[in-house]
Each structure stands twice: as C-alpha cells, then as structure tokens.
Amino acid sequence: MHEFNYHKAGTVAEAASRLAASPEARLLAGGQTLIAAMKMRLAAPSDLIDLAGVAELKGIKVDGGQVTIGAMTTHAEVAASQDVVRAIPALALLAGSIGDRMVRNMGTLGGSVANNDPAADYPAAVVGLGATITTNKRKVAADGFFTGMYQTALEDGEILTSIAFPIPKRAGYMKFKNPASRYAMVGVFVTETAGGVRVAVTGAGPCVFRVAGMEQALAKSFAPAAAAGVKVPADGLNADIHATAEYRAHLVSVMAGRAVEQALGK
Amino acid sequence: MAVRLTLTVNGKPVSAEIEPRLLLVDFIRDHLRLTGTHIGCDTAQCGACTIHLNGNAVKCCNMLALQAQGANVLTIEGLARADGTMHPMQAAFRDHHGLQCGYCTPGMVMSALDLVKRHPDPSEEQIRAELDGNLCRCTGYHNIVKAVQAGAKA
C-alpha cells in the first residue's frame, strides 16, 4: 500500500473541506473495497478521510412512508434492524446477504452505493425501490444516480449522506451468488407499489438497470411466471470465467421469477 | 507521518506510533506479537484473521489499524482464562476434532463466538451459513459444525 495522510472527520462539513483541499483525497467508509484496492495498489489516494466518527451519517429511521438510512450504517445494522425488517423485509434480506458476516460488520450502505460495483447488491435495492439519495449538496433520484461501471452522479467533493427508500406494497430480492466472493452474478430486485412495478438488475451488466418489459408484464399480473416469461437480450451483458452473457441473461428471468415469489411470501 | 494509535486489546490498554497505512492485522501480529491471529489469503476472503472489534467479528487484514482507534479489540489470545483454561468454544474445537492443521482455527473460533452471541442455540444450517466467511481446507467443516454446536451449549 502506498503512503497517504489520514484524517478522521467529526462532521460532514469537515470531511467536505478536507476533500476539497486535496484533489487525490478519498473518503473512507467501511473500507471493505477501498482498503483491498489500496493493498493491490489499484487505488493510491494522497489522503484518506475516515467517516467512521461522523455521527450524523449513522442510523435508521422510518417516517412518512419511507425508511431513511444513514450512509455510514453497516450492512449488519440494516439486516438486524427491526424497523427495516418490518417496513421493507427484502431490503433487510439483501443487506444480510452481502459478503459474509465480517464484511457486513464493516461495510456500509454509502460506501457500497458510492462505489457502484457492477455486482454490488445495494444498487438493485436503490433503483428497485426508487430511492432518493441525499448528499451534502442535493437530492438525486435513483434512476439518475448510477451512470456506468463504478460511475455515479456524485461530483468531486460531494458526499453521500443518506438514502430514503419508499416503503413498497411488497418487494423481493433474489441473487445468484458467485460462491467465492458472494457478489451477485445476477441479482434482481422487484417492487410493487401503488404507482406500479419496478424491476432492477445488478451483476448482469456494467451497471444496475431496469427491465421495462418485466415491469409491464408484472403490472398486468404480479406472478412469478409473468416475470420469468420475459427474456432479456444478452447483448452488452457481462461475460467472464463464471458465466457467459447468455447465461446471465437467462438468470435474470429466473431470479426475477424467484424475487416475485419471495415478494408474495411463497 | 506517524500517527498515535490508542486502543484496548484483550483488556489491556495499548498505544503506539504507527504509519497510517499499517493494517490492523500487522499491528496485532508484528507490533503486539499476538501471532494467534493469522494471515491466510490477505484479501478478506478466508477469515483466518477474524478478530472482534467492539464485539463484532471483522477481518483485520482488510482494515487499517487506525480504524480501530479507541476501540476494544479481542483476539484469540484473549479467550483463555489467566490460568490457561481454554474458553468453552476452544475446548469444543479440541473435543470434537474441529481442526486439523489449525491455520483457520483462530478465525473459526472468533466467528463462532460472534455467531453464538446472536444465535445461542444455532442449527447446523445456521452455522454453515454464518461461517461462510471462514474457509477451512482440511476438515470438510463437518467437525467444525459439531464443535460450534457443542461450544454454544457449553
């Protein structure tokens, strides 16, 4: 790992001013991706600004039909939160399926979403539930937040502070895990709300995406077969030693059907 | 630029000047000479480096020592009683032959204790699911599951 300067921020404002002071500075959330990347020298920030001491970035509250989760809340905290389990059980299940127990005790919602790994779980929930991302500067709708592989709408110096997830009528999340990394080879988040159905897919492509055809089919009939019956083209999907693009495309339909089953409590 | 790190390890206060890039596992092994915490894969996959940070199991090869600033750290060396009597979970691993080469064992025991805290009477299925962040290349896991079940009851 290359050398860097370490700063522990006490507030979001302090972290923002540190971030503005050095162009090569990075924020440190749980570090479950960033520390590994720094060890391999894939990342070499000049400065690390540790957010672990920023109390305003932690916590879960349910209010006004939505669950708002602070960026520094860990996956283990989300998975264990009775508020989340009651309001959006699929979100608690998703958080409890990330990595392994030790990773979930360190990794955070904000870190995962800001990193936007193509196989991360949380982007599927953020887009699938139509969440709103709050930063230290503005609010961004989920549909405009994830812009490409490891790319988001976050600008230089912008800090993700919390995410508000609207409570749906029902939702489900199913993923086909890579057995070694537990990352999603394909993960599908399905949500039914009063306003319609949303289907968000992670792991299959370079970035989380919605499947309009499945949303329309599920709006007509919210049943596993309706989702599984919609085929997704393999063009542009990820292909690697674990699965071809065609295999991933097939998995999208299968996982979508299972996510609907889970949403229906079957 | 060296930074002062102060924390509690196995109940004892510890303080040192360290480089920010020092990993917690290297601080524990090389500075404190507590070599029971192992480095297996060094990529946060195998779980041999599992310790407790403020009561939660974490992989200390994948975090900076400075992320434990002010924290309460428990390593495998902190489990046995002062007179050397093993912790019941350690004893269960011995009694049920839950190890062969022993390399993964400290991490297995630390993960098992985190698991038992949340599931006091875990099923075989729960143990297998919860230990998915700890790899063992000797045992086939069968006796580890038995050991954890027995350790939970002890």
Side-chain angles (χ1 to χ4, degrees):
Chain A
M1 194 186 299
H2 288 289
E3 285 186 293
F4 57 86
N5 299 307
Y6 174 89
H7 314 275
K8 190 154 190 177
T11 63
V12 172
E14 188 192 337
S17 75
R18 286 276 185 198
L19 202 50
S22 346
E24 298 299 319
R26 291 280 299 269
L27 298 170
L28 176 63
Q32 296 303 283
T33 303
L34 182 55
I35 299 296
M38 287 171 68
K39 285 168 70 174
M40 289 189 283
R41 298 190 171 184
L42 295 170
S46 64
D47 295 73
L48 268 193
I49 303 156
D50 190 348
L51 298 175
V54 183
E56 62 194 292
L57 291 177
K58 288 177 194 162
I60 298 168
K61 66 171 193 261
V62 181
D63 189 25
Q66 55 187 22
V67 178
T68 304
I69 305 177
M72 286 296 288
T73 310
T74 65
H75 310 323
E77 287 164 346
V78 173
S81 161
Q82 285 311 303
D83 283 338
V84 179
V85 169
R86 272 192 295 271
I88 316 178
L91 183 60
L93 271 176
L94 176 147
S97 78
I98 297 171
D100 54 53
R101 179 71 197 167
M102 294 77 102
V103 168
R104 293 194 290 277
N105 278 332
M106 289 294 288
T108 66
L109 170 66
S112 170
V113 169
N115 187 51
N116 192 21
D117 188 296
D121 296 284
Y122 264 131
V126 172
V127 172
L129 287 161
T132 301
I133 293 104
T134 300
T135 76
N136 58 333
K137 293 181 177 163
R138 60 189 168 134
K139 288 184 190 296
V140 187
D143 285 332
F145 185 82
F146 301 100
T147 53
M149 188 185 279
Y150 297 108
Q151 300 294 314
T152 69
L154 288 171
E155 290 164 2
D156 287 345
E158 195 169 13
I159 301 174
L160 196 164
T161 55
S162 69
I163 301 180
F165 298 91
I167 298 173
K169 197 167 146 193
R170 51 192 157 205
Y173 177 68
M174 285 300 291
K175 72 167 159 176
F176 193 91
K177 288 183 193 185
N178 176 314
S181 70
R182 271 82 69 178
Y183 270 108
M185 267 163 55
V186 169
V188 182
F189 203 102
V190 175
T191 301
E192 187 184 21
T193 66
V197 174
R198 295 174 72 97
V199 177
V201 178
T202 190
C207 179
V208 61
F209 62 89
R210 289 173 66 183
V211 185
M214 269 182 201
E215 293 180 356
Q216 286 150 16
L218 287 169
K220 285 190 198 123
S221 160
F222 196 79
V230 177
K231 301 300 169 208
V232 174
D235 304 340
L237 295 190
N238 299 336
D240 52 30
I241 56 165
H242 307 297
T244 61
E246 290 73 20
Y247 188 69
R248 279 189 166 83
H250 177 74
L251 279 178
V252 171
S253 303
V254 175
M255 291 298 122
R258 291 184 192 171
V260 172
E261 262 181 47
Q262 188 198 87
L264 292 168
K266 284 182 185 169
Chain B
M1 187 187 65
V3 180
R4 171 67 52 181
L5 169 69
T6 303
L7 71 165
T8 304
V9 178
N10 299 334
K12 297 190 190 84
V14 171
S15 189
E17 292 280 331
I18 60 159
E19 272 194 69
R21 62 178 166 175
L22 184 70
L23 295 170
L24 182 57
V25 72
D26 293 326
F27 178 73
I28 289 171
R29 288 177 55 85
D30 299 343
H31 289 237
L32 304 181
R33 308 300 297 167
L34 294 172
T35 53
T37 299
H38 292 163
I39 300 173
C41 68
D42 204 14
T43 53
Q45 294 177 74
C46 79
C49 67
T50 302
I51 56 145
H52 290 190
L53 179 75
N54 294 326
N56 296 316
V58 298
K59 292 177 171 175
C60 67
C61 82
N62 200 34
M63 61 181 287
L64 303 173
L66 285 171
Q67 288 179 279
Q69 184 76 266
N72 206 340
V73 163
L74 180 68
T75 72
I76 190 77
E77 290 89 348
L79 294 184
R81 281 202 235 137
D83 67 0
T85 309
M86 278 196 267
H87 184 283
M89 187 61 78
Q90 291 174 301
F93 269 71
R94 181 190 58 190
D95 295 346
H96 293 269
H97 203 52
L99 61 141
Q100 287 175 30
C101 87
Y103 204 87
C104 72
T105 313
M108 285 285 177
V109 171
M110 298 312 285
S111 278
L113 291 173
D114 180 284
L115 183 170
V116 167
K117 192 178 62 181
R118 288 170 292 110
H119 305 286
D121 185 19
S123 66
E124 178 182 341
E125 195 186 357
Q126 273 174 326
I127 294 169
R128 289 184 184 275
E130 290 271 338
L131 290 184
D132 71 344
N134 293 83
L135 303 184
C136 172
R137 300 289 79 152
C138 303
T139 63
Y141 301 99
H142 195 66
N143 286 353
I144 290 176
V145 173
K146 279 196 212 164
V148 174
Q149 261 177 331
K153 289 192 178 84

